[in-house]
Amino acid sequence: MAAPVLLSIDQGTTSSRAVVYDAHTFAPLATAQQEIEQHYPRDGWVEHEPEDIWYSVARTAREALAKSGRDPRAVAAVGITNQRETVVVWEQATGRPVHRAIVWQDRRTTDFCRDRAADGPMLAAKTGLVLDPYFSATKLHW
């Protein structure tokens, strides 16, 4: 069996990156990166095409593994970091996104949060978070 490797995936705001490491020495064996186009349909709005995110992750993972010369079956573990508060809603019946991803930087729900400022203490008590357009819930409400 091939020597095991670790696959690290960093899906960030501006690009996706994959790195393959030797599982015993942790030495990096190969890397791949692909930029992601950002869309600004209005002032303060930031969006991504969800499929662009998905395909860039798949492409960079495949490319890094190919560059490493290791068989994909040698992957012992995968570590992933992502944009966290970026939101995508998928249509259950088709598996297709219903809208572009709303990126964590997006401020489209600022007025919504301002109008509900009185709910801030209750939300903070329940969630530990402040009412802010950064967080996913207001994006989902939109």
Side-chain angles (χ1 to χ4, degrees):
M1 175 178 239
V5 295
L6 307 174
L7 175 62
S8 171
I9 297 171
D10 175 10
Q11 199 305 295
T13 306
T14 59
S15 70
S16 294
R17 177 188 320 261
V19 183
V20 177
Y21 295 92
D22 180 282
H24 296 294
T25 66
F26 303 111
L29 302 174
T31 186
Q33 179 181 8
Q34 181 180 352
E35 290 187 11
I36 297 173
E37 183 178 1
Q38 297 195 70
H39 302 273
Y40 305 94
R42 295 187 193 169
D43 189 37
W45 291 28
V46 186
E47 300 176 347
H48 290 156
E49 291 292 345
E51 279 112 348
D52 289 352
I53 296 171
W54 167 249
Y55 290 125
S56 69
V57 169
R59 210 171 291 124
T60 57
R62 274 193 227 101
E63 183 181 339
L65 282 164
K67 285 180 177 179
S68 77
R70 302 291 179 90
D71 188 311
R73 292 174 290 191
V75 174
V78 178
I80 301 172
T81 184
N82 63 17
Q83 298 183 47
R84 292 170 303 282
E85 295 298 332
T86 294
V87 172
V88 178
V89 175
W90 303 89
E91 174 63 45
Q92 183 176 3
T94 65
R96 308 270 306 155
V98 299
H99 190 273
R100 283 181 174 158
I102 302 174
V103 177
W104 63 270
Q105 300 160 306
D106 190 282
R107 303 303 291 175
R108 75 184 66 193
T109 62
T110 298
D111 290 340
F112 176 83
C113 292
R114 191 176 300 120
D115 292 347
R116 282 146 187 88
D119 295 332
M122 177 270 300
L123 290 169
K126 287 187 175 190
T127 68
L129 303 173
V130 297
L131 182 59
D132 189 271
Y134 169 78
F135 296 112
S136 301
T138 62
K139 294 179 182 82
L140 289 169
H141 178 269
W142 178 88

